[in-house]
Amino acid sequence: MYTNQSNIKVNNLNLAQRVKELRNRKGFSQELLAEESGLSLRTIQRIENNETVPRGDTLKRLAISLNTSPDEIVDWKIQEDQNYLILMNLSALGFLFFPLLGIIIPLAMWMSKKDKLKNVDELGKSILNFQISWTLFLFLSYVILIVGFIGVLSSDLVMSWSITMWSSWIPVTIIFYFYNIIIIVINTLRIYRNKPFRYKPALKILK
């Protein structure tokens, strides 16, 4: 029983330290945090002095004013799970089966852990921005091919044009796929070696 009470006190102390840490990181005084969150100054002081634990609406207000999530405040030790980062990165290979899977699988993994594991939010956005950009360019090439084919349907050049376009479009598609694989493999190795990941070029869709 004593052990459980001790653990609760330690966890509450960690939470109090976490709130203070996030407040200082934002450059907020206790007075400014109270004003931004709509809580009383006394409430902020009691939380940081480990005299009370923020819950419900109080926790939500704190999270919004500190530009974070309730989970990050409560789970003050955001774990660095390299295996999850590697797995999420490799999940983008789903595009090999269907282009949209390269977006859907990383998206699901990003949504489930973005507030719980370190670097998941940043990596997830980078992967999604790249894969969305890649998919858009791939489908754009399909559209160009189809529009071009429709444009010559009524001419005598259909056969020669088709052969020319397909012979040039197939290598381009192979290069597209190969480049995506290379980017994923390189970034997986960089994550494994604790180096910064780079997904370029990519549209800044998620910021």
Side-chain angles (χ1 to χ4, degrees), residues 105-119:
I105 301 175
L107 175 63
M109 297 186 70
W110 171 64
M111 291 293 290
S112 66
K113 295 290 184 179
K114 66 177 182 176
D115 296 324
K116 295 182 175 64
L117 297 179
K118 187 177 179 180
N119 293 326

Side-chain angles (χ1 to χ4, degrees), residues 94-107:
F95 82 90
L96 291 171
F97 302 97
F98 185 70
L100 290 179
L101 287 179
I103 299 172
I104 295 172
I105 301 175
L107 175 63

Side-chain angles (χ1 to χ4, degrees), residues 55-85:
R55 303 181 189 279
D57 185 59
T58 299
L59 182 60
K60 185 177 179 180
R61 289 188 183 191
L62 276 176
I64 292 173
S65 58
L66 292 171
N67 193 29
T68 186
S69 67
D71 284 340
E72 186 174 351
I73 294 177
V74 174
D75 186 14
W76 75 283
K77 286 186 177 179
I78 300 179
Q79 300 174 358
E80 185 172 2
D81 192 334
Q82 188 184 54
N83 291 333
Y84 192 86
L85 295 177

Side-chain angles (χ1 to χ4, degrees), residues 123-182:
L123 176 61
K125 289 177 181 177
S126 296
I127 293 173
L128 291 169
N129 283 336
F130 179 82
Q131 293 299 333
I132 291 172
S133 301
W134 180 88
T135 303
L136 287 174
F137 284 120
L138 182 67
F139 279 106
L140 181 61
S141 69
Y142 288 153
V143 171
I144 292 173
L145 180 69
I146 293 171
V147 170
F149 181 75
I150 293 174
V152 296
L153 275 178
S154 58
S155 71
D156 297 331
L157 300 175
V158 174
M159 185 60 68
S160 61
W161 181 89
S162 298
I163 294 173
T164 301
M165 286 300 295
W166 280 105
S167 62
S168 59
W169 180 77
I170 291 176
V172 169
T173 302
I174 292 174
I175 292 172
F176 258 60
Y177 273 77
F178 186 72
Y179 180 74
N180 201 336
I181 294 171
I182 291 297

